[in-house]
Amino acid sequence: MSSEKPPTSTLFEYVLTHHRGLFATLFLLPVSCAYSLYVYIRNHVLFRLRTAPARHELRVQEVIRQIEAWKRDGAREKLCTARSGWQTMSEMVPKYKLSRRNIRIGMYDVLNIDEKRRVVRVEPLASMSQVSRTLIARGWILPLVPELDDLTVGGLIMGFGVETSSHKYGLFQYICESFDLVTADGQLKHCSATENSELFHLIPWSHGTLGFLVAAELKIIPAKKYVRLEYRPLHTLDAVCESFDRECRDTTRNEFVEALVYSRDTAVVMTGTLTDTPASDGPVNTIGRWFKPWFYKHVEAMLASREPRVEYIPLRHYLHRHTRSYFWAMEEIITFGNHPLFRWLLGWALPPRIELLKYTETETTRQLREKHHVVQDMLMPMAWLKKSIEYFEDHFELYPLWLSPMAVFDNPRHLGLIHPYRDAKGNIDEMYVDIGAYGTARKPGFDGREALPKLEQFVIDHQGYQALYAKTLLSETDFRRMFDHSAYDRLRKSLPYCRQAFGEIYDKVSSRGRVSPVEMRKLKSTDIKVERSSTT
Ligand SMILES: Cc1cc2nc3c(=O)[nH]c(=O)nc-3n(C[C@H](O)[C@H](O)[C@H](O)COP(=O)(O)OP(=O)(O)OC[C@H]3O[C@@H](n4cnc5c(N)ncnc54)[C@H](O)[C@@H]3O)c2cc1C
């Protein structure tokens, strides 16, 4: 973070603020390990004993029973899922959990793998680690596996999900064949491209404001043992944009495309293919092992050369290559985390759990985070890639930037909160790029509270979208300019009880619905008013 640090009030806060790396190493990592062990036992032993795929229908009935009870009680409060707000991957915490009636979903199972139809049926709280481990053991894989182990299927559908295969398969929502949704009138609706298709196209990005997701069918593809990864270091902005654009559009050859941008003019563009047998054009690199350098540091070292290089990376190591270092966020928490000594001794304990990082935020670190720190993913049309990198250089000076391609597909009725890019002549281009900016902006005089609203306007002006797990300062009007609410509004009006039960997306993702961890801790100790239902 910045060297400018406001005074702190207590010794504990002083340690948390000024010696966060030491605190993380001595306290957060051991507690994280113990907590991870608890989560592992809970997910893999206790849930296994208590739940089973065969009991899925009973669990759905339990959700319906809770909604029927809410209706019998007069449908007076708004509803939300009961999952603890501290567990979400967002750095913010949902405060609406305190004021709304919590509906327990409790569904963590992988229900069924249909190899003939090439789909896996899963419950919404199944995590990426659980789904990919189950599938890989059977020789399958999801076409796109968002990076972090704890991301949930429900969160990736109701929010958004992207990975480096998204140039080919699109966002997480596009690998979904169907959804089972319990609506606010207690009906179970199966939604697909041909059945309840309006709901099917509007559930993604809706953040649980149309109903409760209780199952989803996801496409699967055959897994292979390795990713053959080709690294191309490039040294001009034009070369970076031209190479990245070209590789993203080559969906026949490239299974994965990613770029890490280290300055305005330097980046490494990476393309990957799946293979079972490493060839002699490069070594096998088990990059995910605890003592290996953090992936973005390993890639940065390649900039020194102008020659492309090839490596064969075991599949799970590739899929979770940024997990140990939370992309590059870890560098600011444990500054010495990539030192070989630390890696050999404690690398296996990384990363600390998100819940604990949030819970130990202090008022001082909150102020610093809001002023200097950025965690944003901007989803920009490929046509504006160069202009976007220049924008980040001029206003943020924050590197590395993560470039992950993503296709935004249309559907016959053009339904959805997001749409493909349309240029001034009306030509459509589905290819977008997720520009991930995580870390401390180095631009002199930078203040995130001023820079974020300007960035959001830049995104709207160029037909981009903002990933909604991150903080937004958009007004409601601008939020509606960014995301097309026309079909969403119509659908909410037509679904019985929908507007009584759920606020709009903006109510959940803006400051109306989310607060910083520090503010949440304060709120918990005060009396919270129940949020009354409304039909407006
Ligand atoms: C450090 C970090 C790294 C990240 N890396 C990636 C990445 O590599 N790729 C990527 O795609 N994304 C990434 N994300 C963002 C992530 O995609 C979003 O946070 C996403 O929404 C999933 O998060 P979650 O599982 O915690 O869902 P939550 O935040 O818990 O849920 C998202 C929304 O969906 C609603 N919801 C969830 N389940 C249900 C349900 N069953 N019924 C109704 N509503 C429901 C919730 O109420 C909430 O509004 C990252 C985020 C962080 C902080």
Side-chain angles (χ1 to χ4, degrees), residues 160 171 174 205 376-381 406 408 416-422 429-430 432-435 455-456 458-468 474 478-485:
F160 105 112
L171 292 173
Y174 302 117
W205 295 85
Q376 288 289 338
D377 285 76
M378 297 301 171
L379 319 178
M380 300 302 292
M406 44 170 270
V408 174
L417 286 141
I418 62 169
H419 302 291
Y421 171 71
R422 191 182 282 266
D429 185 5
E430 293 174 333
Y432 273 65
V433 49
D434 177 346
I435 306 180
L455 174 65
E456 290 174 322
F458 173 83
V459 173
I460 292 178
D461 292 345
H462 294 85
Q463 288 181 48
Y465 302 102
Q466 188 174 10
L468 295 178
L474 284 172
D478 283 339
F479 186 76
R480 284 177 157 266
R481 281 175 61 216
M482 188 181 277
F483 294 97
D484 177 5
H485 280 55

Short mmCIF file of all heavy atoms in Angstrom, two decimals, residues 160 171 174 205 376-381 406 408 416-422 429-430 432-435 455-456 458-468 474 478-485:
data_model
loop_
_atom_site.label_atom_id
_atom_site.label_comp_id
_atom_site.label_asym_id
_atom_site.label_seq_id
_atom_site.Cartn_x
_atom_site.Cartn_y
_atom_site.Cartn_z
N PHE A 160 -20.82 -13.31 -12.16
CA PHE A 160 -20.22 -13.59 -13.46
C PHE A 160 -18.98 -14.46 -13.28
O PHE A 160 -18.43 -14.55 -12.18
CB PHE A 160 -19.90 -12.27 -14.19
CG PHE A 160 -18.44 -11.92 -14.21
CD1 PHE A 160 -17.73 -11.92 -15.40
CD2 PHE A 160 -17.77 -11.60 -13.04
CE1 PHE A 160 -16.38 -11.60 -15.43
CE2 PHE A 160 -16.42 -11.29 -13.07
CZ PHE A 160 -15.73 -11.29 -14.25
N LEU A 171 -18.57 -16.49 -21.32
CA LEU A 171 -18.61 -16.40 -19.86
C LEU A 171 -19.19 -17.68 -19.26
O LEU A 171 -19.79 -18.50 -19.98
CB LEU A 171 -19.49 -15.21 -19.43
CG LEU A 171 -18.91 -13.84 -19.76
CD1 LEU A 171 -19.93 -12.75 -19.46
CD2 LEU A 171 -17.64 -13.59 -18.97
N TYR A 174 -22.52 -19.13 -20.31
CA TYR A 174 -22.73 -19.77 -21.62
C TYR A 174 -22.37 -21.25 -21.62
O TYR A 174 -22.61 -21.93 -22.60
CB TYR A 174 -21.95 -19.03 -22.71
CG TYR A 174 -22.32 -17.58 -22.83
CD1 TYR A 174 -21.39 -16.58 -22.58
CD2 TYR A 174 -23.62 -17.20 -23.18
CE1 TYR A 174 -21.73 -15.24 -22.67
CE2 TYR A 174 -23.97 -15.86 -23.26
CZ TYR A 174 -23.02 -14.89 -23.01
OH TYR A 174 -23.36 -13.56 -23.09
N TRP A 205 -26.17 -12.67 -14.02
CA TRP A 205 -25.98 -11.28 -13.59
C TRP A 205 -27.12 -10.78 -12.71
O TRP A 205 -27.08 -9.65 -12.23
CB TRP A 205 -25.84 -10.31 -14.78
CG TRP A 205 -24.63 -10.51 -15.63
CD1 TRP A 205 -24.51 -11.40 -16.67
CD2 TRP A 205 -23.36 -9.86 -15.53
NE1 TRP A 205 -23.25 -11.33 -17.22
CE2 TRP A 205 -22.53 -10.38 -16.55
CE3 TRP A 205 -22.86 -8.87 -14.69
CZ2 TRP A 205 -21.22 -9.96 -16.74
CZ3 TRP A 205 -21.55 -8.44 -14.89
CH2 TRP A 205 -20.75 -8.98 -15.91
N GLN A 376 -10.64 -4.32 -9.47
CA GLN A 376 -11.70 -4.12 -10.46
C GLN A 376 -11.46 -5.00 -11.67
O GLN A 376 -10.30 -5.20 -12.06
CB GLN A 376 -11.71 -2.66 -10.94
CG GLN A 376 -12.23 -1.66 -9.93
CD GLN A 376 -13.73 -1.75 -9.69
OE1 GLN A 376 -14.48 -2.26 -10.52
NE2 GLN A 376 -14.19 -1.27 -8.54
N ASP A 377 -12.52 -5.54 -12.24
CA ASP A 377 -12.43 -6.17 -13.55
C ASP A 377 -13.35 -5.40 -14.48
O ASP A 377 -14.55 -5.30 -14.23
CB ASP A 377 -12.90 -7.63 -13.49
CG ASP A 377 -11.88 -8.53 -12.85
OD1 ASP A 377 -11.77 -8.49 -11.60
OD2 ASP A 377 -11.18 -9.25 -13.57
N MET A 378 -12.77 -4.83 -15.53
CA MET A 378 -13.55 -4.10 -16.52
C MET A 378 -13.64 -4.94 -17.78
O MET A 378 -12.61 -5.39 -18.29
CB MET A 378 -12.88 -2.75 -16.82
CG MET A 378 -12.83 -1.86 -15.61
SD MET A 378 -14.49 -1.52 -15.00
CE MET A 378 -14.16 -0.70 -13.45
N LEU A 379 -14.85 -5.17 -18.25
CA LEU A 379 -15.07 -6.06 -19.38
C LEU A 379 -15.27 -5.19 -20.61
O LEU A 379 -16.34 -4.60 -20.78
CB LEU A 379 -16.28 -6.96 -19.10
CG LEU A 379 -16.36 -7.50 -17.65
CD1 LEU A 379 -17.61 -8.33 -17.44
CD2 LEU A 379 -15.13 -8.31 -17.29
N MET A 380 -14.23 -5.07 -21.42
CA MET A 380 -14.23 -4.09 -22.51
C MET A 380 -14.31 -4.78 -23.88
O MET A 380 -13.71 -5.84 -24.07
CB MET A 380 -12.94 -3.26 -22.46
CG MET A 380 -12.74 -2.50 -21.17
SD MET A 380 -14.09 -1.36 -20.80
CE MET A 380 -13.90 -0.13 -22.08
N PRO A 381 -15.00 -4.16 -24.84
CA PRO A 381 -14.98 -4.71 -26.20
C PRO A 381 -13.53 -4.78 -26.69
O PRO A 381 -12.74 -3.87 -26.40
CB PRO A 381 -15.77 -3.68 -27.01
CG PRO A 381 -16.61 -2.97 -26.02
CD PRO A 381 -15.83 -2.95 -24.74
N MET A 406 -13.03 -12.84 -23.40
CA MET A 406 -14.36 -13.37 -23.08
C MET A 406 -15.34 -13.04 -24.21
O MET A 406 -15.42 -11.89 -24.65
CB MET A 406 -14.88 -12.78 -21.77
CG MET A 406 -14.66 -11.29 -21.62
SD MET A 406 -15.52 -10.61 -20.22
CE MET A 406 -17.09 -10.18 -20.94
N VAL A 408 -19.06 -12.53 -25.57
CA VAL A 408 -20.42 -12.23 -25.10
C VAL A 408 -21.35 -12.63 -26.25
O VAL A 408 -21.39 -11.97 -27.27
CB VAL A 408 -20.57 -10.73 -24.78
CG1 VAL A 408 -22.02 -10.40 -24.44
CG2 VAL A 408 -19.66 -10.34 -23.63
N GLY A 416 -31.15 -10.47 -22.13
CA GLY A 416 -30.01 -10.53 -21.22
C GLY A 416 -29.64 -9.16 -20.71
O GLY A 416 -30.02 -8.14 -21.29
N LEU A 417 -28.88 -9.14 -19.61
CA LEU A 417 -28.44 -7.87 -19.04
C LEU A 417 -27.21 -7.33 -19.77
O LEU A 417 -26.88 -6.16 -19.66
CB LEU A 417 -28.16 -8.05 -17.54
CG LEU A 417 -29.46 -8.15 -16.74
CD1 LEU A 417 -29.37 -9.17 -15.63
CD2 LEU A 417 -29.87 -6.80 -16.17
N ILE A 418 -26.51 -8.20 -20.51
CA ILE A 418 -25.37 -7.73 -21.31
C ILE A 418 -25.55 -8.20 -22.76
O ILE A 418 -26.24 -9.19 -23.02
CB ILE A 418 -24.02 -8.23 -20.75
CG1 ILE A 418 -23.93 -9.77 -20.78
CG2 ILE A 418 -23.79 -7.73 -19.34
CD1 ILE A 418 -22.53 -10.29 -20.50
N HIS A 419 -24.94 -7.47 -23.68
CA HIS A 419 -25.06 -7.76 -25.12
C HIS A 419 -23.71 -7.62 -25.80
O HIS A 419 -22.83 -6.89 -25.31
CB HIS A 419 -26.04 -6.79 -25.78
CG HIS A 419 -27.40 -6.80 -25.17
ND1 HIS A 419 -28.26 -7.86 -25.27
CD2 HIS A 419 -28.03 -5.88 -24.39
CE1 HIS A 419 -29.37 -7.60 -24.62
NE2 HIS A 419 -29.26 -6.40 -24.07
N PRO A 420 -23.53 -8.25 -26.98
CA PRO A 420 -22.27 -8.06 -27.71
C PRO A 420 -22.09 -6.60 -28.13
O PRO A 420 -23.06 -5.84 -28.20
CB PRO A 420 -22.44 -8.95 -28.95
CG PRO A 420 -23.61 -9.81 -28.69
CD PRO A 420 -24.45 -9.15 -27.67
N TYR A 421 -20.88 -6.27 -28.42
CA TYR A 421 -20.52 -4.89 -28.84
C TYR A 421 -21.05 -4.61 -30.25
O TYR A 421 -21.02 -5.47 -31.12
CB TYR A 421 -18.99 -4.77 -28.82
CG TYR A 421 -18.46 -3.50 -29.42
CD1 TYR A 421 -18.62 -2.28 -28.76
CD2 TYR A 421 -17.77 -3.52 -30.64
CE1 TYR A 421 -18.10 -1.12 -29.30
CE2 TYR A 421 -17.26 -2.36 -31.18
CZ TYR A 421 -17.43 -1.15 -30.51
OH TYR A 421 -16.93 -0.01 -31.04
N ARG A 422 -21.56 -3.40 -30.43
CA ARG A 422 -22.05 -2.97 -31.75
C ARG A 422 -21.35 -1.66 -32.09
O ARG A 422 -21.43 -0.69 -31.32
CB ARG A 422 -23.56 -2.74 -31.64
CG ARG A 422 -24.27 -2.56 -32.96
CD ARG A 422 -25.73 -2.30 -32.68
NE ARG A 422 -26.46 -3.52 -32.35
CZ ARG A 422 -27.12 -4.26 -33.25
NH1 ARG A 422 -27.16 -3.90 -34.50
NH2 ARG A 422 -27.75 -5.35 -32.88
N ASP A 429 -19.54 -7.38 -32.71
CA ASP A 429 -18.34 -8.16 -32.36
C ASP A 429 -18.56 -8.74 -30.97
O ASP A 429 -18.77 -8.01 -30.01
CB ASP A 429 -17.10 -7.25 -32.38
CG ASP A 429 -15.82 -8.07 -32.15
OD1 ASP A 429 -15.91 -9.32 -32.08
OD2 ASP A 429 -14.75 -7.45 -32.03
N GLU A 430 -18.51 -10.08 -30.88
CA GLU A 430 -18.77 -10.74 -29.59
C GLU A 430 -17.54 -10.75 -28.68
O GLU A 430 -17.64 -11.09 -27.51
CB GLU A 430 -19.22 -12.18 -29.83
CG GLU A 430 -20.57 -12.27 -30.51
CD GLU A 430 -20.95 -13.69 -30.88
OE1 GLU A 430 -20.04 -14.52 -31.09
OE2 GLU A 430 -22.16 -13.97 -30.97
N TYR A 432 -14.83 -9.75 -26.25
CA TYR A 432 -14.51 -8.79 -25.20
C TYR A 432 -13.21 -9.21 -24.51
O TYR A 432 -12.71 -10.30 -24.73
CB TYR A 432 -15.63 -8.76 -24.14
CG TYR A 432 -16.76 -7.81 -24.44
CD1 TYR A 432 -17.59 -8.01 -25.54
CD2 TYR A 432 -17.03 -6.72 -23.61
CE1 TYR A 432 -18.64 -7.14 -25.81
CE2 TYR A 432 -18.09 -5.86 -23.87
CZ TYR A 432 -18.88 -6.07 -24.98
OH TYR A 432 -19.91 -5.21 -25.25
N VAL A 433 -12.72 -8.34 -23.65
CA VAL A 433 -11.56 -8.70 -22.83
C VAL A 433 -11.80 -8.22 -21.40
O VAL A 433 -12.24 -7.09 -21.18
CB VAL A 433 -10.25 -8.12 -23.43
CG1 VAL A 433 -10.36 -6.65 -23.76
CG2 VAL A 433 -9.07 -8.33 -22.48
N ASP A 434 -11.55 -9.13 -20.45
CA ASP A 434 -11.61 -8.75 -19.04
C ASP A 434 -10.26 -8.15 -18.67
O ASP A 434 -9.23 -8.82 -18.76
CB ASP A 434 -11.88 -10.01 -18.20
CG ASP A 434 -11.88 -9.74 -16.70
OD1 ASP A 434 -11.41 -8.66 -16.28
OD2 ASP A 434 -12.34 -10.61 -15.95
N ILE A 435 -10.28 -6.87 -18.28
CA ILE A 435 -9.04 -6.22 -17.84
C ILE A 435 -9.09 -6.16 -16.31
O ILE A 435 -9.89 -5.41 -15.74
CB ILE A 435 -8.91 -4.80 -18.44
CG1 ILE A 435 -9.03 -4.89 -19.97
CG2 ILE A 435 -7.59 -4.16 -18.02
CD1 ILE A 435 -8.93 -3.56 -20.67
N LEU A 455 -13.50 6.02 -14.22
CA LEU A 455 -13.28 4.76 -14.95
C LEU A 455 -14.63 4.15 -15.35
O LEU A 455 -14.80 3.68 -16.48
CB LEU A 455 -12.50 3.78 -14.06
CG LEU A 455 -12.32 2.37 -14.62
CD1 LEU A 455 -11.45 2.38 -15.89
CD2 LEU A 455 -11.66 1.44 -13.59
N GLU A 456 -15.58 4.20 -14.44
CA GLU A 456 -16.90 3.62 -14.74
C GLU A 456 -17.56 4.35 -15.92
O GLU A 456 -18.22 3.72 -16.76
CB GLU A 456 -17.79 3.67 -13.49
CG GLU A 456 -17.29 2.69 -12.42
CD GLU A 456 -18.05 2.79 -11.09
OE1 GLU A 456 -18.41 3.90 -10.68
OE2 GLU A 456 -18.27 1.75 -10.47
N PHE A 458 -15.90 5.83 -18.35
CA PHE A 458 -15.13 5.38 -19.52
C PHE A 458 -15.68 4.04 -20.01
O PHE A 458 -15.86 3.82 -21.21
CB PHE A 458 -13.64 5.26 -19.13
CG PHE A 458 -12.77 4.66 -20.20
CD1 PHE A 458 -12.27 5.44 -21.24
CD2 PHE A 458 -12.44 3.30 -20.17
CE1 PHE A 458 -11.47 4.88 -22.23
CE2 PHE A 458 -11.65 2.74 -21.16
CZ PHE A 458 -11.16 3.53 -22.19
N VAL A 459 -15.96 3.16 -19.07
CA VAL A 459 -16.47 1.83 -19.42
C VAL A 459 -17.84 1.95 -20.10
O VAL A 459 -18.08 1.36 -21.16
CB VAL A 459 -16.54 0.92 -18.16
CG1 VAL A 459 -17.22 -0.40 -18.48
CG2 VAL A 459 -15.14 0.66 -17.62
N ILE A 460 -18.73 2.76 -19.53
CA ILE A 460 -20.07 2.94 -20.14
C ILE A 460 -19.92 3.53 -21.54
O ILE A 460 -20.53 3.05 -22.50
CB ILE A 460 -20.95 3.87 -19.28
CG1 ILE A 460 -21.31 3.20 -17.96
CG2 ILE A 460 -22.24 4.24 -20.03
CD1 ILE A 460 -22.14 4.06 -17.02
N ASP A 461 -19.08 4.55 -21.67
CA ASP A 461 -18.94 5.23 -22.97
C ASP A 461 -18.42 4.31 -24.06
O ASP A 461 -18.56 4.59 -25.24
CB ASP A 461 -17.97 6.43 -22.85
CG ASP A 461 -18.57 7.53 -21.99
OD1 ASP A 461 -19.79 7.48 -21.76
OD2 ASP A 461 -17.82 8.42 -21.54
N HIS A 462 -17.76 3.21 -23.66
CA HIS A 462 -17.20 2.29 -24.66
C HIS A 462 -17.91 0.94 -24.65
O HIS A 462 -17.31 -0.08 -25.04
CB HIS A 462 -15.69 2.13 -24.40
CG HIS A 462 -14.94 3.41 -24.64
ND1 HIS A 462 -14.82 4.38 -23.67
CD2 HIS A 462 -14.34 3.90 -25.74
CE1 HIS A 462 -14.15 5.41 -24.17
NE2 HIS A 462 -13.86 5.15 -25.43
N GLN A 463 -19.16 0.95 -24.22
CA GLN A 463 -20.00 -0.26 -24.21
C GLN A 463 -19.39 -1.41 -23.43
O GLN A 463 -19.50 -2.58 -23.82
CB GLN A 463 -20.29 -0.74 -25.64
CG GLN A 463 -21.26 0.14 -26.40
CD GLN A 463 -21.52 -0.42 -27.80
OE1 GLN A 463 -21.79 -1.60 -27.98
NE2 GLN A 463 -21.44 0.43 -28.80
N GLY A 464 -18.69 -1.08 -22.35
CA GLY A 464 -18.12 -2.13 -21.51
C GLY A 464 -19.03 -2.43 -20.32
O GLY A 464 -20.10 -1.81 -20.16
N TYR A 465 -18.60 -3.39 -19.51
CA TYR A 465 -19.35 -3.77 -18.30
C TYR A 465 -18.36 -3.90 -17.15
O TYR A 465 -17.18 -4.15 -17.34
CB TYR A 465 -20.06 -5.11 -18.51
CG TYR A 465 -21.01 -5.08 -19.68
CD1 TYR A 465 -20.65 -5.66 -20.90
CD2 TYR A 465 -22.25 -4.46 -19.58
CE1 TYR A 465 -21.52 -5.63 -21.99
CE2 TYR A 465 -23.11 -4.42 -20.67
CZ TYR A 465 -22.75 -5.00 -21.86
OH TYR A 465 -23.59 -4.96 -22.93
N GLN A 466 -18.91 -3.76 -15.95
CA GLN A 466 -18.07 -3.88 -14.76
C GLN A 466 -18.42 -5.19 -14.07
O GLN A 466 -19.61 -5.53 -13.98
CB GLN A 466 -18.44 -2.71 -13.85
CG GLN A 466 -17.58 -2.52 -12.65
CD GLN A 466 -17.97 -1.24 -11.92
OE1 GLN A 466 -18.99 -0.62 -12.22
NE2 GLN A 466 -17.19 -0.86 -10.95
N ALA A 467 -17.41 -5.92 -13.58
CA ALA A 467 -17.69 -7.14 -12.82
C ALA A 467 -18.27 -6.72 -11.47
O ALA A 467 -17.67 -5.91 -10.76
CB ALA A 467 -16.41 -7.94 -12.63
N LEU A 468 -19.42 -7.28 -11.13
CA LEU A 468 -20.17 -6.71 -10.00
C LEU A 468 -19.79 -7.26 -8.63
O LEU A 468 -20.38 -6.89 -7.63
CB LEU A 468 -21.67 -6.87 -10.25
CG LEU A 468 -22.18 -6.07 -11.45
CD1 LEU A 468 -23.65 -6.30 -11.67
CD2 LEU A 468 -21.89 -4.57 -11.27
N LEU A 474 -21.30 3.69 -9.27
CA LEU A 474 -22.26 4.18 -10.28
C LEU A 474 -23.55 4.63 -9.61
O LEU A 474 -24.00 4.01 -8.63
CB LEU A 474 -22.61 3.05 -11.25
CG LEU A 474 -21.58 2.66 -12.31
CD1 LEU A 474 -22.03 1.40 -13.04
CD2 LEU A 474 -21.38 3.80 -13.30
N ASP A 478 -26.88 5.45 -14.06
CA ASP A 478 -25.75 4.98 -14.86
C ASP A 478 -25.64 3.46 -14.85
O ASP A 478 -25.24 2.85 -15.84
CB ASP A 478 -24.44 5.62 -14.37
CG ASP A 478 -24.32 7.05 -14.86
OD1 ASP A 478 -25.01 7.39 -15.85
OD2 ASP A 478 -23.57 7.83 -14.25
N PHE A 479 -26.00 2.86 -13.71
CA PHE A 479 -26.00 1.40 -13.63
C PHE A 479 -26.95 0.82 -14.68
O PHE A 479 -26.64 -0.14 -15.37
CB PHE A 479 -26.42 0.97 -12.22
CG PHE A 479 -26.30 -0.51 -11.98
CD1 PHE A 479 -25.07 -1.10 -11.75
CD2 PHE A 479 -27.44 -1.32 -11.99
CE1 PHE A 479 -24.96 -2.46 -11.53
CE2 PHE A 479 -27.34 -2.69 -11.76
CZ PHE A 479 -26.09 -3.25 -11.53
N ARG A 480 -28.10 1.49 -14.84
CA ARG A 480 -29.07 1.04 -15.84
C ARG A 480 -28.61 1.36 -17.26
O ARG A 480 -29.08 0.75 -18.21
CB ARG A 480 -30.44 1.67 -15.56
CG ARG A 480 -31.12 1.01 -14.38
CD ARG A 480 -32.43 1.65 -14.01
NE ARG A 480 -33.24 0.66 -13.30
CZ ARG A 480 -34.14 -0.13 -13.86
NH1 ARG A 480 -34.41 -0.04 -15.15
NH2 ARG A 480 -34.81 -1.02 -13.14
N ARG A 481 -27.71 2.33 -17.41
CA ARG A 481 -27.12 2.57 -18.75
C ARG A 481 -26.11 1.47 -19.08
O ARG A 481 -25.96 1.07 -20.22
CB ARG A 481 -26.40 3.93 -18.77
CG ARG A 481 -27.34 5.11 -18.94
CD ARG A 481 -26.59 6.43 -18.84
NE ARG A 481 -25.58 6.60 -19.87
CZ ARG A 481 -24.40 7.20 -19.67
NH1 ARG A 481 -24.09 7.68 -18.49
NH2 ARG A 481 -23.54 7.33 -20.65
N MET A 482 -25.41 0.99 -18.04
CA MET A 482 -24.40 -0.05 -18.29
C MET A 482 -25.07 -1.40 -18.56
O MET A 482 -24.67 -2.13 -19.47
CB MET A 482 -23.45 -0.17 -17.09
CG MET A 482 -22.28 -1.08 -17.34
SD MET A 482 -21.18 -1.23 -15.91
CE MET A 482 -20.12 0.17 -16.02
N PHE A 483 -26.08 -1.75 -17.78
CA PHE A 483 -26.73 -3.06 -17.91
C PHE A 483 -28.16 -2.86 -18.41
O PHE A 483 -28.91 -2.08 -17.83
CB PHE A 483 -26.74 -3.79 -16.56
CG PHE A 483 -25.35 -4.14 -16.09
CD1 PHE A 483 -24.68 -3.32 -15.19
CD2 PHE A 483 -24.70 -5.27 -16.59
CE1 PHE A 483 -23.39 -3.63 -14.78
CE2 PHE A 483 -23.41 -5.58 -16.18
CZ PHE A 483 -22.75 -4.76 -15.27
N ASP A 484 -28.52 -3.59 -19.46
CA ASP A 484 -29.83 -3.46 -20.09
C ASP A 484 -30.91 -4.08 -19.19
O ASP A 484 -30.98 -5.31 -19.04
CB ASP A 484 -29.79 -4.15 -21.46
CG ASP A 484 -31.15 -4.13 -22.15
OD1 ASP A 484 -32.09 -3.49 -21.62
OD2 ASP A 484 -31.27 -4.76 -23.22
N HIS A 485 -31.75 -3.24 -18.60
CA HIS A 485 -32.78 -3.73 -17.66
C HIS A 485 -34.14 -3.93 -18.33
O HIS A 485 -35.11 -4.24 -17.63
CB HIS A 485 -32.95 -2.73 -16.50
CG HIS A 485 -31.90 -2.86 -15.43
ND1 HIS A 485 -30.55 -2.79 -15.67
CD2 HIS A 485 -32.01 -3.05 -14.08
CE1 HIS A 485 -29.88 -2.93 -14.54
NE2 HIS A 485 -30.75 -3.09 -13.55
#
